Amino acid sequence: MKTRNLLIVSAQIFLAAWGSAQRVSLPEPPQVRAKNHVVSLTLHAVNENGRDAFAFNGETVAPVIRASPGDVLKIAYINDLPAKSPETCAVNPCMDMTNLHFHGLGVSPHAPQDDVLTMLAKPRQELRYSVRIPRDHPPGLFWYHTHPHGESHRQVLDGMSGAIVIEGMGRYVPETEKLRERVMVVRGLSIDHDPRAAALIRDVEVPAKGCRVEAVEEIFTVNGVLRPRIEIAPKERQFWRIVNASADRYLDLQLYGQTFEIVALDGMPLAYHDPEHPARDTNHLLLAPAGRLEAIVTGPPAGAHSALRTLCVDTGPDGDANPEMVLADLVPSSSDQSTSARGPEPLYAGNSRQAIYKPVDLEPLKKSEPTFTVTFTEDKNGFYINGHKYAPDASPMTSARVGTYQHWRIVNRTAELHPFHIHQAHFLAYAENSVPLPHPAWLDTVNVPYGGSVDVIVDFTNPIIKGIAVFHCHLLNHEDKGMMAKILLK
């Protein structure tokens, strides 16, 4: 099979050995677009050089899937993994089962759509997905990744993930239609047993002291490349779409010397629920695993050095090391590339080109007692929600009536961070440790502080989400070891 091998460790180490003077520019993954309102593609699950990957058109580079509200995603997903896995899983033995989850999309949990419970492919089997994007679906950045319980962590850590863009952000922030777009998939790369780990750690400038750097087990790649160059002219404005596709690491994003002008989080435009405030500025943003940032950035002044970094994240006494490091370097453009070649204007179905807003008064729910409490605990035998490990044959732990909002409280009774994620729905995260947040945000994945809590209002008003979905910790090693539960949407 012909391969570009951007996801293969040897290529990343090769780039690191070159040094900063000869780093490569940020690569753009292949993009798949709709024809007659259908996005059609074939993905293969393969194991190459001892690592699992998506193969698309003969290359091990996951494509960016671009769709519009009203489109249908038709994906043939073929499991070409070996019958006997050469790797280890959170719960052994690895069976090389696989499937797809369309993270953040407000689509049906029934097969053949976003069903992670019954749609599972063994080696040499095929799954056929037909995912209908609602006509009123918000635009933004989403992503797809594998979700077989017990094997999710290994497959996502290996790089089995890709970005999904739902078109139409210009309806909420018109300037974005005129700017060069950058889609960045940030993944964690395990270097735990790599003999060149010390050189790689130096290359991304992990500080020598502080933030538990003595235990660095992973570094980050961007679109499969270690520390690429991002070309941007002084004062040029670009539209960046960043997904933390790490299986188990946090990003505290900082653009040295610049700010992020946030327009969307977790695929939800800020203007969708608050039309009067379509953007806000910040100098850094914590992105939990699976979190997404969409922001406008401005190129640094001529002669100034700037870099996209992740800062140190305190994950708690029992958490993994999450040190500061450089993700990418900003360099002056070699030519006028202020606009991106996004292809022809997509054809929207129905009236979906019109901006849809959904302001809602949730103050009474905020003052109410929680409808449901999620409690994360762990011990040497595993990870639990409300005292239970996930089991495939377990009944739903809770239920919600479609058409309603619910106040949930997520409680973390452990000594490490846990990111909470629920399928099919977004929620308003508005309080941490019972203190109102300065910037309440609509998310699908939220960080829960260790020894603390987060209060959210979950939106169950989407009429197509009936069925059984799941909620879980998005440290996928924890999810694989039991920190997941079902919810019945009725």
Side-chain angles (χ1 to χ4, degrees):
M1 176 180 289
K2 175 187 175 184
T3 58
R4 191 183 299 171
N5 288 336
L6 289 180
L7 299 179
I8 303 305
V9 179
S10 59
Q12 295 160 342
I13 294 174
F14 177 65
L15 292 175
W18 273 15
S20 59
Q22 298 189 46
R23 298 188 190 280
V24 300
S25 295
L26 178 73
E28 296 187 4
Q31 304 198 24
V32 185
R33 303 174 185 272
K35 294 181 180 179
N36 298 321
H37 304 300
V38 176
V39 182
S40 181
L41 68 150
T42 298
L43 279 177
H44 295 257
V46 299
N47 186 282
E48 188 168 291
N49 292 5
R51 294 168 61 85
D52 292 345
F54 286 139
F56 171 72
N57 282 355
E59 300 180 341
T60 52
V61 182
V64 176
I65 298 173
R66 306 191 75 105
S68 298
D71 288 349
V72 178
L73 310 183
K74 288 191 175 293
I75 303 175
Y77 183 45
I78 302 170
N79 187 348
D80 287 329
L81 295 172
K84 185 176 181 180
S85 174
E87 301 191 73
T88 59
C89 292
V91 180
N92 285 310
C94 294
M95 303 299 291
D96 270 350
M97 303 277 282
T98 191
N99 61 4
L100 297 177
H101 169 45
F102 304 94
H103 187 115
L105 290 183
V107 297
S108 171
H110 285 292
Q113 301 199 58
D114 191 23
D115 173 13
V116 300
L117 298 177
T118 68
M119 293 187 71
L120 289 163
K122 299 177 182 178
R124 292 183 290 280
Q125 290 184 340
E126 177 179 346
L127 299 174
R128 289 192 172 270
Y129 290 90
S130 181
V131 182
R132 186 170 298 277
I133 310 299
R135 295 190 178 200
D136 59 353
H137 200 290
L141 178 64
F142 304 86
W143 66 303
Y144 60 99
H145 62 85
T146 60
H147 206 294
H149 182 66
E151 305 191 51
S152 300
H153 179 264
R154 171 181 58 88
Q155 293 183 7
V156 174
L157 181 61
D158 278 357
M160 298 185 77
S161 59
I164 300 173
V165 172
I166 302 298
E167 307 282 11
M169 188 61 69
R171 289 179 276 154
Y172 298 90
V173 186
E175 183 186 3
T176 60
E177 292 188 340
K178 304 175 183 178
L179 303 180
R180 181 172 190 182
E181 178 193 83
R182 303 278 194 182
V183 177
M184 305 183 207
V185 181
V186 182
R187 300 182 178 95
L189 172 67
S190 176
I191 57 171
D192 194 21
H193 302 291
D194 195 305
R196 292 155 289 194
L200 294 171
I201 291 170
R202 287 194 302 271
D203 197 70
V204 296
E205 299 184 17
V206 175
K209 295 182 180 180
C211 204
R212 297 170 56 190
V213 297
E214 73 282 357
V216 179
E217 298 174 344
E218 293 183 29
I219 57 177
F220 291 105
T221 64
V222 185
N223 291 355
V225 172
L226 191 73
R227 197 173 173 176
R229 296 156 52 103
I230 301 176
E231 294 188 350
I232 184 169
K235 297 184 179 180
E236 177 191 351
R237 287 166 69 76
Q238 294 185 358
F239 181 32
W240 287 13
R241 314 181 99 152
I242 303 173
V243 52
N244 181 359
S246 169
D248 54 11
R249 292 296 187 269
Y250 283 81
L251 294 173
D252 191 352
L253 293 174
Q254 180 193 56
L255 194 59
Y256 184 77
Q258 308 299 117
T259 60
F260 296 107
E261 188 176 323
I262 302 172
V263 301
L265 293 170
D266 283 7
M268 184 65 69
L270 301 192
Y272 185 77
H273 290 97
D274 189 0
E276 300 301 316
H277 301 92
R280 69 175 176 89
D281 289 345
T282 187
N283 56 13
H284 75 100
L285 182 76
L286 180 66
L287 274 190
R292 283 95 67 210
L293 166 66
E294 294 174 82
I296 298 172
V297 302
T298 302
H305 174 263
S306 186
L308 178 64
R309 296 174 177 268
T310 178
L311 304 178
C312 168
V313 179
D314 175 13
T315 61
D318 291 345
D320 294 318
N322 228 124
E324 177 181 348
M325 67 186 72
V326 178
L327 301 177
D329 296 290
L330 275 63
V331 299
S333 300
S334 57
S335 61
D336 182 12
Q337 297 178 335
S338 59
T339 59
S340 63
R342 298 193 197 179
E345 182 73 14
L347 298 174
Y348 294 85
N351 63 355
S352 60
R353 291 206 59 177
Q354 300 175 6
I356 299 171
Y357 297 98
K358 193 178 179 180
V360 58
D361 180 13
L362 298 175
E363 291 305 314
L365 266 178
K366 292 179 182 179
K367 298 174 183 177
S368 69
E369 288 298 308
T371 306
F372 183 65
T373 298
V374 176
T375 302
F376 289 149
T377 57
E378 60 184 75
D379 59 27
K380 63 181 181 180
N381 297 314
F383 297 82
Y384 310 86
I385 293 180
N386 294 355
H388 297 280
K389 278 187 180 183
Y390 173 79
D393 59 353
S395 299
M397 184 175 287
T398 188
S399 64
R401 187 161 297 281
V402 176
T404 65
Y405 294 88
Q406 287 191 359
H407 174 191
W408 285 24
R409 179 168 293 153
I410 301 96
V411 179
N412 182 355
R413 292 183 179 164
T414 77
E416 64 178 312
L417 298 183
H418 293 286
F420 169 81
H421 169 56
I422 184 169
H423 290 205
Q424 319 325 127
H426 276 71
F427 48 77
L428 176 66
Y430 69 91
E432 183 175 299
N433 297 330
S434 300
V435 177
L437 291 168
H439 299 290
W442 285 89
L443 308 168
D444 60 45
T445 308
V446 65
N447 177 58
V448 188
Y450 55 90
S453 65
V454 171
D455 281 78
V456 303
I457 306 295
V458 190
D459 182 354
F460 292 116
T461 61
N462 184 345
I464 70 170
I465 62 172
K466 294 180 180 179
I468 296 180
V470 296
F471 54 94
H472 58 88
C473 173
H474 220 285
L475 298 178
L476 294 180
N477 185 49
H478 297 179
E479 179 266 311
D480 281 344
K481 293 181 178 179
M483 200 172 270
M484 184 166 79
K486 298 176 186 176
I487 177 173
L488 173 62
L489 305 170
K490 57 184 181 180

